[in-house]
PDB file of all heavy atoms in Angstrom:
ATOM      1  N   THR A  29      18.044 -67.725 -33.054  1.00 98.00           N
ATOM      2  CA  THR A  29      18.485 -67.176 -34.362  1.00 98.00           C
ATOM      3  C   THR A  29      19.912 -67.738 -34.604  1.00 98.00           C
ATOM      4  O   THR A  29      20.496 -68.312 -33.740  1.00 98.00           O
ATOM      5  CB  THR A  29      18.414 -65.643 -34.493  1.00 98.00           C
ATOM      6  OG1 THR A  29      19.601 -65.102 -34.053  1.00 98.00           O
ATOM      7  CG2 THR A  29      17.201 -65.055 -33.816  1.00 98.00           C
ATOM      8  N   THR A  31      22.395 -65.879 -34.846  1.00 98.00           N
ATOM      9  CA  THR A  31      23.323 -64.979 -34.165  1.00 98.00           C
ATOM     10  C   THR A  31      23.298 -65.242 -32.652  1.00 98.00           C
ATOM     11  O   THR A  31      24.229 -65.866 -32.104  1.00 98.00           O
ATOM     12  CB  THR A  31      23.067 -63.522 -34.474  1.00 98.00           C
ATOM     13  OG1 THR A  31      21.698 -63.195 -34.041  1.00 98.00           O
ATOM     14  CG2 THR A  31      23.242 -63.191 -35.933  1.00 98.00           C
ATOM     15  N   VAL A  32      22.221 -64.768 -32.000  1.00 98.00           N
ATOM     16  CA  VAL A  32      22.050 -64.967 -30.585  1.00 98.00           C
ATOM     17  C   VAL A  32      20.570 -65.255 -30.405  1.00 98.00           C
ATOM     18  O   VAL A  32      19.765 -65.009 -31.350  1.00 98.00           O
ATOM     19  CB  VAL A  32      22.544 -63.779 -29.700  1.00 98.00           C
ATOM     20  CG1 VAL A  32      24.006 -63.498 -29.958  1.00 98.00           C
ATOM     21  CG2 VAL A  32      21.682 -62.532 -30.009  1.00 98.00           C
ATOM     22  N   TYR A  33      20.200 -65.703 -29.222  1.00 98.00           N
ATOM     23  CA  TYR A  33      18.687 -65.860 -28.911  1.00 98.00           C
ATOM     24  C   TYR A  33      18.041 -64.537 -28.844  1.00 98.00           C
ATOM     25  O   TYR A  33      18.625 -63.581 -28.278  1.00 98.00           O
ATOM     26  CB  TYR A  33      18.497 -66.744 -27.697  1.00 98.00           C
ATOM     27  CG  TYR A  33      18.467 -68.228 -28.025  1.00 98.00           C
ATOM     28  CD1 TYR A  33      19.602 -68.923 -28.428  1.00 98.00           C
ATOM     29  CD2 TYR A  33      17.262 -68.948 -27.916  1.00 98.00           C
ATOM     30  CE1 TYR A  33      19.589 -70.235 -28.709  1.00 98.00           C
ATOM     31  CE2 TYR A  33      17.206 -70.329 -28.219  1.00 98.00           C
ATOM     32  CZ  TYR A  33      18.396 -70.948 -28.652  1.00 98.00           C
ATOM     33  OH  TYR A  33      18.364 -72.309 -28.956  1.00 98.00           O
ATOM     34  N   GLY A  34      16.795 -64.438 -29.288  1.00 98.00           N
ATOM     35  CA  GLY A  34      16.038 -63.189 -29.202  1.00 98.00           C
ATOM     36  C   GLY A  34      14.909 -63.398 -28.177  1.00 98.00           C
ATOM     37  O   GLY A  34      14.531 -64.485 -27.810  1.00 98.00           O
ATOM     38  N   LYS A  52      13.632 -57.315 -19.811  1.00 96.00           N
ATOM     39  CA  LYS A  52      15.086 -57.114 -20.072  1.00 96.00           C
ATOM     40  C   LYS A  52      15.670 -56.057 -19.121  1.00 96.00           C
ATOM     41  O   LYS A  52      16.945 -55.889 -19.085  1.00 96.00           O
ATOM     42  CB  LYS A  52      15.316 -56.610 -21.458  1.00 96.00           C
ATOM     43  CG  LYS A  52      15.535 -57.749 -22.426  1.00 96.00           C
ATOM     44  CD  LYS A  52      15.889 -57.205 -23.850  1.00 96.00           C
ATOM     45  CE  LYS A  52      17.205 -56.552 -23.983  1.00 96.00           C
ATOM     46  NZ  LYS A  52      18.295 -57.436 -24.293  1.00 96.00           N
ATOM     47  N   ARG A  54      15.439 -52.999 -19.935  1.00 94.00           N
ATOM     48  CA  ARG A  54      16.078 -52.223 -20.943  1.00 94.00           C
ATOM     49  C   ARG A  54      15.431 -50.841 -21.042  1.00 94.00           C
ATOM     50  O   ARG A  54      14.236 -50.720 -20.983  1.00 94.00           O
ATOM     51  CB  ARG A  54      15.873 -52.929 -22.332  1.00 94.00           C
ATOM     52  CG  ARG A  54      16.390 -52.203 -23.552  1.00 94.00           C
ATOM     53  CD  ARG A  54      16.165 -53.125 -24.734  1.00 94.00           C
ATOM     54  NE  ARG A  54      16.450 -52.599 -26.027  1.00 94.00           N
ATOM     55  CZ  ARG A  54      17.346 -53.179 -26.849  1.00 94.00           C
ATOM     56  NH1 ARG A  54      17.985 -54.260 -26.475  1.00 94.00           N
ATOM     57  NH2 ARG A  54      17.502 -52.715 -28.070  1.00 94.00           N
ATOM     58  N   ASN A  58      16.222 -47.362 -26.162  1.00 95.00           N
ATOM     59  CA  ASN A  58      16.999 -48.356 -27.003  1.00 95.00           C
ATOM     60  C   ASN A  58      16.074 -49.102 -27.867  1.00 95.00           C
ATOM     61  O   ASN A  58      15.382 -50.022 -27.421  1.00 95.00           O
ATOM     62  CB  ASN A  58      17.806 -49.230 -25.986  1.00 95.00           C
ATOM     63  CG  ASN A  58      18.883 -49.976 -26.768  1.00 95.00           C
ATOM     64  OD1 ASN A  58      18.930 -49.991 -28.006  1.00 95.00           O
ATOM     65  ND2 ASN A  58      19.768 -50.661 -26.047  1.00 95.00           N
ATOM     66  N   PRO A  59      16.005 -48.766 -29.183  1.00 97.00           N
ATOM     67  CA  PRO A  59      14.998 -49.415 -30.065  1.00 97.00           C
ATOM     68  C   PRO A  59      15.234 -50.893 -30.368  1.00 97.00           C
ATOM     69  O   PRO A  59      16.338 -51.408 -30.197  1.00 97.00           O
ATOM     70  CB  PRO A  59      15.132 -48.521 -31.349  1.00 97.00           C
ATOM     71  CG  PRO A  59      16.503 -48.038 -31.315  1.00 97.00           C
ATOM     72  CD  PRO A  59      16.909 -47.860 -29.906  1.00 97.00           C
ATOM     73  N   LEU A  60      14.180 -51.523 -30.903  1.00 98.00           N
ATOM     74  CA  LEU A  60      14.146 -52.964 -31.159  1.00 98.00           C
ATOM     75  C   LEU A  60      14.234 -53.311 -32.638  1.00 98.00           C
ATOM     76  O   LEU A  60      13.793 -52.504 -33.488  1.00 98.00           O
ATOM     77  CB  LEU A  60      12.898 -53.568 -30.564  1.00 98.00           C
ATOM     78  CG  LEU A  60      12.558 -53.224 -29.117  1.00 98.00           C
ATOM     79  CD1 LEU A  60      11.209 -53.900 -28.750  1.00 98.00           C
ATOM     80  CD2 LEU A  60      13.671 -53.772 -28.170  1.00 98.00           C
ATOM     81  N   ILE A  61      14.833 -54.433 -32.952  1.00 98.00           N
ATOM     82  CA  ILE A  61      14.919 -54.904 -34.345  1.00 98.00           C
ATOM     83  C   ILE A  61      13.572 -55.655 -34.762  1.00 98.00           C
ATOM     84  O   ILE A  61      13.131 -56.502 -34.001  1.00 98.00           O
ATOM     85  CB  ILE A  61      16.107 -55.842 -34.561  1.00 98.00           C
ATOM     86  CG1 ILE A  61      17.447 -55.044 -34.239  1.00 98.00           C
ATOM     87  CG2 ILE A  61      16.120 -56.354 -36.003  1.00 98.00           C
ATOM     88  CD1 ILE A  61      18.703 -55.922 -34.347  1.00 98.00           C
ATOM     89  N   HIS A  63      11.791 -58.338 -36.985  1.00 98.00           N
ATOM     90  CA  HIS A  63      12.178 -59.592 -37.689  1.00 98.00           C
ATOM     91  C   HIS A  63      10.965 -60.137 -38.430  1.00 98.00           C
ATOM     92  O   HIS A  63       9.850 -60.156 -37.953  1.00 98.00           O
ATOM     93  CB  HIS A  63      12.578 -60.690 -36.703  1.00 98.00           C
ATOM     94  CG  HIS A  63      13.828 -60.396 -35.884  1.00 98.00           C
ATOM     95  ND1 HIS A  63      13.800 -59.388 -34.936  1.00 98.00           N
ATOM     96  CD2 HIS A  63      15.019 -61.031 -35.847  1.00 98.00           C
ATOM     97  CE1 HIS A  63      15.011 -59.335 -34.379  1.00 98.00           C
ATOM     98  NE2 HIS A  63      15.778 -60.316 -34.942  1.00 98.00           N
ATOM     99  N   THR A  94      21.312 -56.431 -40.311  1.00 98.00           N
ATOM    100  CA  THR A  94      20.150 -55.593 -39.830  1.00 98.00           C
ATOM    101  C   THR A  94      20.244 -54.262 -40.573  1.00 98.00           C
ATOM    102  O   THR A  94      21.370 -53.635 -40.558  1.00 98.00           O
ATOM    103  CB  THR A  94      20.152 -55.380 -38.326  1.00 98.00           C
ATOM    104  OG1 THR A  94      19.994 -56.730 -37.728  1.00 98.00           O
ATOM    105  CG2 THR A  94      19.087 -54.417 -37.912  1.00 98.00           C
ATOM    106  N   ILE A  96      18.803 -50.285 -41.156  1.00 98.00           N
ATOM    107  CA  ILE A  96      17.923 -49.256 -40.567  1.00 98.00           C
ATOM    108  C   ILE A  96      17.343 -48.489 -41.763  1.00 98.00           C
ATOM    109  O   ILE A  96      18.074 -47.974 -42.597  1.00 98.00           O
ATOM    110  CB  ILE A  96      18.743 -48.287 -39.696  1.00 98.00           C
ATOM    111  CG1 ILE A  96      19.506 -49.096 -38.538  1.00 98.00           C
ATOM    112  CG2 ILE A  96      17.882 -47.212 -39.101  1.00 98.00           C
ATOM    113  CD1 ILE A  96      20.530 -48.251 -37.827  1.00 98.00           C
ATOM    114  N   THR A 108      10.719 -48.180 -32.172  1.00 98.00           N
ATOM    115  CA  THR A 108      11.831 -47.405 -32.638  1.00 98.00           C
ATOM    116  C   THR A 108      12.211 -46.341 -31.636  1.00 98.00           C
ATOM    117  O   THR A 108      13.016 -45.440 -31.968  1.00 98.00           O
ATOM    118  CB  THR A 108      11.448 -46.812 -34.037  1.00 98.00           C
ATOM    119  OG1 THR A 108      10.333 -45.898 -33.792  1.00 98.00           O
ATOM    120  CG2 THR A 108      11.152 -47.794 -35.037  1.00 98.00           C
ATOM    121  N   LEU A 111      11.902 -42.905 -32.952  1.00 97.00           N
ATOM    122  CA  LEU A 111      12.693 -42.567 -34.147  1.00 97.00           C
ATOM    123  C   LEU A 111      11.831 -42.784 -35.346  1.00 97.00           C
ATOM    124  O   LEU A 111      10.943 -43.668 -35.315  1.00 97.00           O
ATOM    125  CB  LEU A 111      13.989 -43.317 -34.234  1.00 97.00           C
ATOM    126  CG  LEU A 111      14.982 -43.182 -33.063  1.00 97.00           C
ATOM    127  CD1 LEU A 111      16.070 -44.176 -33.246  1.00 97.00           C
ATOM    128  CD2 LEU A 111      15.555 -41.737 -33.109  1.00 97.00           C
ATOM    129  N   ASP A 113      12.996 -44.139 -38.036  1.00 98.00           N
ATOM    130  CA  ASP A 113      13.638 -45.238 -38.721  1.00 98.00           C
ATOM    131  C   ASP A 113      13.480 -46.544 -37.931  1.00 98.00           C
ATOM    132  O   ASP A 113      13.526 -46.517 -36.689  1.00 98.00           O
ATOM    133  CB  ASP A 113      15.144 -45.005 -38.939  1.00 98.00           C
ATOM    134  CG  ASP A 113      15.357 -43.903 -40.016  1.00 98.00           C
ATOM    135  OD1 ASP A 113      14.453 -43.714 -40.816  1.00 98.00           O
ATOM    136  OD2 ASP A 113      16.472 -43.377 -40.062  1.00 98.00           O
ATOM    137  N   VAL A 114      13.399 -47.657 -38.610  1.00 98.00           N
ATOM    138  CA  VAL A 114      13.302 -48.946 -37.951  1.00 98.00           C
ATOM    139  C   VAL A 114      14.455 -49.840 -38.427  1.00 98.00           C
ATOM    140  O   VAL A 114      14.776 -49.793 -39.594  1.00 98.00           O
ATOM    141  CB  VAL A 114      11.859 -49.580 -38.156  1.00 98.00           C
ATOM    142  CG1 VAL A 114      11.593 -49.867 -39.624  1.00 98.00           C
ATOM    143  CG2 VAL A 114      11.748 -50.891 -37.398  1.00 98.00           C
ATOM    144  N   ALA A 115      14.878 -50.733 -37.547  1.00 98.00           N
ATOM    145  CA  ALA A 115      15.916 -51.659 -37.907  1.00 98.00           C
ATOM    146  C   ALA A 115      15.237 -52.975 -38.275  1.00 98.00           C
ATOM    147  O   ALA A 115      14.392 -53.427 -37.534  1.00 98.00           O
ATOM    148  CB  ALA A 115      16.926 -51.884 -36.783  1.00 98.00           C
ATOM    149  N   ARG A 117      15.397 -57.164 -40.053  1.00 98.00           N
ATOM    150  CA  ARG A 117      16.268 -58.299 -40.423  1.00 98.00           C
ATOM    151  C   ARG A 117      15.491 -59.553 -40.579  1.00 98.00           C
ATOM    152  O   ARG A 117      14.444 -59.665 -40.010  1.00 98.00           O
ATOM    153  CB  ARG A 117      17.451 -58.417 -39.506  1.00 98.00           C
ATOM    154  CG  ARG A 117      17.475 -59.548 -38.532  1.00 98.00           C
ATOM    155  CD  ARG A 117      18.858 -59.622 -37.867  1.00 98.00           C
ATOM    156  NE  ARG A 117      18.939 -60.704 -36.871  1.00 98.00           N
ATOM    157  CZ  ARG A 117      19.440 -61.917 -37.075  1.00 98.00           C
ATOM    158  NH1 ARG A 117      19.835 -62.266 -38.273  1.00 98.00           N
ATOM    159  NH2 ARG A 117      19.458 -62.857 -36.136  1.00 98.00           N
ATOM    160  N   ALA A 137      12.477 -58.362 -31.681  1.00 98.00           N
ATOM    161  CA  ALA A 137      13.217 -59.244 -30.809  1.00 98.00           C
ATOM    162  C   ALA A 137      14.647 -58.630 -30.542  1.00 98.00           C
ATOM    163  O   ALA A 137      15.522 -58.609 -31.431  1.00 98.00           O
ATOM    164  CB  ALA A 137      13.410 -60.637 -31.439  1.00 98.00           C
ATOM    165  N   PRO A 138      14.856 -58.156 -29.360  1.00 98.00           N
ATOM    166  CA  PRO A 138      16.196 -57.829 -28.907  1.00 98.00           C
ATOM    167  C   PRO A 138      16.848 -59.135 -28.438  1.00 98.00           C
ATOM    168  O   PRO A 138      16.207 -60.161 -28.361  1.00 98.00           O
ATOM    169  CB  PRO A 138      16.022 -56.886 -27.750  1.00 98.00           C
ATOM    170  CG  PRO A 138      14.707 -57.340 -27.127  1.00 98.00           C
ATOM    171  CD  PRO A 138      13.863 -57.947 -28.241  1.00 98.00           C
ATOM    172  N   SER A 139      18.151 -59.085 -28.194  1.00 98.00           N
ATOM    173  CA  SER A 139      18.791 -60.261 -27.626  1.00 98.00           C
ATOM    174  C   SER A 139      18.155 -60.589 -26.294  1.00 98.00           C
ATOM    175  O   SER A 139      17.786 -59.681 -25.545  1.00 98.00           O
ATOM    176  CB  SER A 139      20.347 -60.066 -27.452  1.00 98.00           C
ATOM    177  OG  SER A 139      20.495 -58.790 -26.811  1.00 98.00           O
ATOM    178  N   ILE A 175      27.377 -64.549 -32.521  1.00 98.00           N
ATOM    179  CA  ILE A 175      27.573 -63.118 -32.269  1.00 98.00           C
ATOM    180  C   ILE A 175      26.507 -62.295 -33.044  1.00 98.00           C
ATOM    181  O   ILE A 175      26.019 -62.773 -34.080  1.00 98.00           O
ATOM    182  CB  ILE A 175      29.040 -62.781 -32.722  1.00 98.00           C
ATOM    183  CG1 ILE A 175      29.605 -61.597 -31.957  1.00 98.00           C
ATOM    184  CG2 ILE A 175      29.210 -62.609 -34.194  1.00 98.00           C
ATOM    185  CD1 ILE A 175      31.075 -61.696 -31.735  1.00 98.00           C
ATOM    186  N   GLU A 176      26.189 -61.112 -32.505  1.00 98.00           N
ATOM    187  CA  GLU A 176      25.031 -60.390 -33.034  1.00 98.00           C
ATOM    188  C   GLU A 176      25.173 -59.976 -34.514  1.00 98.00           C
ATOM    189  O   GLU A 176      26.309 -59.916 -35.023  1.00 98.00           O
ATOM    190  CB  GLU A 176      24.782 -59.089 -32.239  1.00 98.00           C
ATOM    191  CG  GLU A 176      24.386 -59.397 -30.802  1.00 98.00           C
ATOM    192  CD  GLU A 176      25.599 -59.573 -29.841  1.00 98.00           C
ATOM    193  OE1 GLU A 176      26.703 -59.727 -30.364  1.00 98.00           O
ATOM    194  OE2 GLU A 176      25.366 -59.612 -28.643  1.00 98.00           O
ATOM    195  N   SER A 177      24.034 -59.608 -35.104  1.00 98.00           N
ATOM    196  CA  SER A 177      24.032 -59.173 -36.504  1.00 98.00           C
ATOM    197  C   SER A 177      24.821 -57.805 -36.662  1.00 98.00           C
ATOM    198  O   SER A 177      24.920 -57.065 -35.721  1.00 98.00           O
ATOM    199  CB  SER A 177      22.618 -58.994 -37.017  1.00 98.00           C
ATOM    200  OG  SER A 177      21.888 -57.956 -36.244  1.00 98.00           O
ATOM    201  N   VAL A 179      24.722 -54.132 -37.824  1.00 98.00           N
ATOM    202  CA  VAL A 179      23.674 -53.116 -38.095  1.00 98.00           C
ATOM    203  C   VAL A 179      24.202 -51.999 -38.985  1.00 98.00           C
ATOM    204  O   VAL A 179      25.217 -51.406 -38.641  1.00 98.00           O
ATOM    205  CB  VAL A 179      23.186 -52.539 -36.701  1.00 98.00           C
ATOM    206  CG1 VAL A 179      22.115 -51.469 -36.944  1.00 98.00           C
ATOM    207  CG2 VAL A 179      22.703 -53.646 -35.751  1.00 98.00           C
ATOM    208  N   ARG A 181      23.183 -48.621 -41.883  1.00 97.00           N
ATOM    209  CA  ARG A 181      22.201 -47.737 -42.460  1.00 97.00           C
ATOM    210  C   ARG A 181      22.850 -47.219 -43.837  1.00 97.00           C
ATOM    211  O   ARG A 181      24.026 -47.000 -43.948  1.00 97.00           O
ATOM    212  CB  ARG A 181      22.083 -46.548 -41.540  1.00 97.00           C
ATOM    213  CG  ARG A 181      20.994 -45.463 -42.010  1.00 97.00           C
ATOM    214  CD  ARG A 181      21.252 -44.141 -41.332  1.00 97.00           C
ATOM    215  NE  ARG A 181      21.162 -44.200 -39.896  1.00 97.00           N
ATOM    216  CZ  ARG A 181      20.012 -43.939 -39.209  1.00 97.00           C
ATOM    217  NH1 ARG A 181      18.881 -43.645 -39.813  1.00 97.00           N
ATOM    218  NH2 ARG A 181      20.017 -43.999 -37.852  1.00 97.00           N
ATOM    219  N   ARG A 191      26.741 -51.060 -35.909  1.00 96.00           N
ATOM    220  CA  ARG A 191      27.268 -52.098 -34.910  1.00 96.00           C
ATOM    221  C   ARG A 191      28.019 -53.101 -35.722  1.00 96.00           C
ATOM    222  O   ARG A 191      27.428 -53.725 -36.627  1.00 96.00           O
ATOM    223  CB  ARG A 191      26.098 -52.755 -34.162  1.00 96.00           C
ATOM    224  CG  ARG A 191      26.602 -53.829 -33.245  1.00 96.00           C
ATOM    225  CD  ARG A 191      25.471 -54.481 -32.412  1.00 96.00           C
ATOM    226  NE  ARG A 191      24.649 -55.354 -33.143  1.00 96.00           N
ATOM    227  CZ  ARG A 191      23.571 -55.895 -32.725  1.00 96.00           C
ATOM    228  NH1 ARG A 191      23.223 -55.753 -31.455  1.00 96.00           N
ATOM    229  NH2 ARG A 191      22.765 -56.691 -33.498  1.00 96.00           N
ATOM    230  N   SER A 217      24.153 -45.799 -33.112  1.00 63.00           N
ATOM    231  CA  SER A 217      22.840 -46.334 -32.676  1.00 63.00           C
ATOM    232  C   SER A 217      22.515 -45.967 -31.282  1.00 63.00           C
ATOM    233  O   SER A 217      23.371 -46.094 -30.383  1.00 63.00           O
ATOM    234  CB  SER A 217      22.886 -47.906 -32.736  1.00 63.00           C
ATOM    235  OG  SER A 217      22.618 -48.313 -34.053  1.00 63.00           O
ATOM    236  N   PRO A 218      21.287 -45.580 -30.998  1.00 60.00           N
ATOM    237  CA  PRO A 218      20.896 -45.306 -29.602  1.00 60.00           C
ATOM    238  C   PRO A 218      21.044 -46.619 -28.852  1.00 60.00           C
ATOM    239  O   PRO A 218      20.785 -47.674 -29.344  1.00 60.00           O
ATOM    240  CB  PRO A 218      19.420 -44.884 -29.732  1.00 60.00           C
ATOM    241  CG  PRO A 218      18.973 -45.269 -31.131  1.00 60.00           C
ATOM    242  CD  PRO A 218      20.139 -45.449 -31.944  1.00 60.00           C
ATOM    243  N   GLY A 219      21.480 -46.458 -27.614  1.00 56.00           N
ATOM    244  CA  GLY A 219      21.641 -47.687 -26.851  1.00 56.00           C
ATOM    245  C   GLY A 219      22.966 -48.378 -26.987  1.00 56.00           C
ATOM    246  O   GLY A 219      23.235 -49.382 -26.360  1.00 56.00           O
ATOM    247  N   ARG A 220      23.784 -47.818 -27.852  1.00 62.00           N
ATOM    248  CA  ARG A 220      25.121 -48.373 -28.034  1.00 62.00           C
ATOM    249  C   ARG A 220      26.004 -47.884 -26.929  1.00 62.00           C
ATOM    250  O   ARG A 220      26.664 -46.864 -27.091  1.00 62.00           O
ATOM    251  CB  ARG A 220      25.719 -48.031 -29.392  1.00 62.00           C
ATOM    252  CG  ARG A 220      25.204 -48.902 -30.464  1.00 62.00           C
ATOM    253  CD  ARG A 220      25.578 -50.367 -30.429  1.00 62.00           C
ATOM    254  NE  ARG A 220      26.885 -50.612 -30.885  1.00 62.00           N
ATOM    255  CZ  ARG A 220      27.638 -51.619 -30.519  1.00 62.00           C
ATOM    256  NH1 ARG A 220      27.217 -52.490 -29.636  1.00 62.00           N
ATOM    257  NH2 ARG A 220      28.838 -51.858 -31.062  1.00 62.00           N
TER     258      ARG A 220
HETATM  259  O1  LIG B   1      21.603 -60.454 -33.961  1.00 50.19           O
HETATM  260  C1  LIG B   1      20.789 -59.676 -33.622  1.00 50.19           C
HETATM  261  O2  LIG B   1      20.634 -58.548 -34.127  1.00 50.19           O
HETATM  262  C2  LIG B   1      19.960 -60.093 -32.399  1.00 50.19           C
HETATM  263  C3  LIG B   1      18.972 -61.191 -32.811  1.00 50.19           C
HETATM  264  C4  LIG B   1      18.012 -61.620 -31.727  1.00 50.19           C
HETATM  265  O3  LIG B   1      18.239 -60.733 -33.987  1.00 50.19           O
HETATM  266  N1  LIG B   1      19.261 -58.931 -31.894  1.00 50.19           N
HETATM  267  C5  LIG B   1      19.904 -57.983 -31.242  1.00 50.19           C
HETATM  268  O4  LIG B   1      19.059 -56.946 -30.768  1.00 50.19           O
HETATM  269  O5  LIG B   1      21.082 -57.939 -30.985  1.00 50.19           O
HETATM  270  P1  LIG B   1      19.486 -55.902 -29.609  1.00 50.19           P
HETATM  271  O6  LIG B   1      18.255 -55.219 -29.293  1.00 50.19           O
HETATM  272  O7  LIG B   1      20.159 -56.534 -28.529  1.00 50.19           O
HETATM  273  O8  LIG B   1      20.417 -54.916 -30.431  1.00 50.19           O
HETATM  274  C6  LIG B   1      19.898 -54.122 -31.481  1.00 50.19           C
HETATM  275  C7  LIG B   1      20.844 -52.966 -31.855  1.00 50.19           C
HETATM  276  C8  LIG B   1      20.922 -51.969 -30.706  1.00 50.19           C
HETATM  277  O9  LIG B   1      22.273 -51.512 -30.684  1.00 50.19           O
HETATM  278  C9  LIG B   1      19.983 -50.844 -31.145  1.00 50.19           C
HETATM  279  O10 LIG B   1      20.445 -49.597 -30.633  1.00 50.19           O
HETATM  280  C10 LIG B   1      20.093 -50.971 -32.668  1.00 50.19           C
HETATM  281  O11 LIG B   1      20.245 -52.294 -32.966  1.00 50.19           O
HETATM  282  N2  LIG B   1      18.895 -50.423 -33.242  1.00 50.19           N
HETATM  283  C11 LIG B   1      17.706 -50.978 -33.250  1.00 50.19           C
HETATM  284  N3  LIG B   1      16.738 -50.223 -33.887  1.00 50.19           N
HETATM  285  C12 LIG B   1      17.384 -49.116 -34.290  1.00 50.19           C
HETATM  286  C13 LIG B   1      16.975 -47.910 -34.995  1.00 50.19           C
HETATM  287  N4  LIG B   1      15.764 -47.684 -35.310  1.00 50.19           N
HETATM  288  N5  LIG B   1      17.931 -47.002 -35.238  1.00 50.19           N
HETATM  289  C14 LIG B   1      19.218 -47.212 -34.868  1.00 50.19           C
HETATM  290  N6  LIG B   1      19.628 -48.297 -34.205  1.00 50.19           N
HETATM  291  C15 LIG B   1      18.768 -49.206 -33.949  1.00 50.19           C
END
Side-chain angles (χ1 to χ4, degrees):
T29 84
T31 58
V32 300
Y33 273 69
K52 268 185 70 88
R54 178 176 175 123
N58 194 350
L60 307 177
I61 298 174
H63 297 67
T94 296
I96 303 168
T108 63
L111 300 171
D113 289 339
V114 62
R117 107 170 178 96
S139 50
I175 206 149
E176 295 85 350
S177 65
V179 180
R181 183 201 299 268
R191 176 177 72 183
S217 275
R220 281 292 280 155

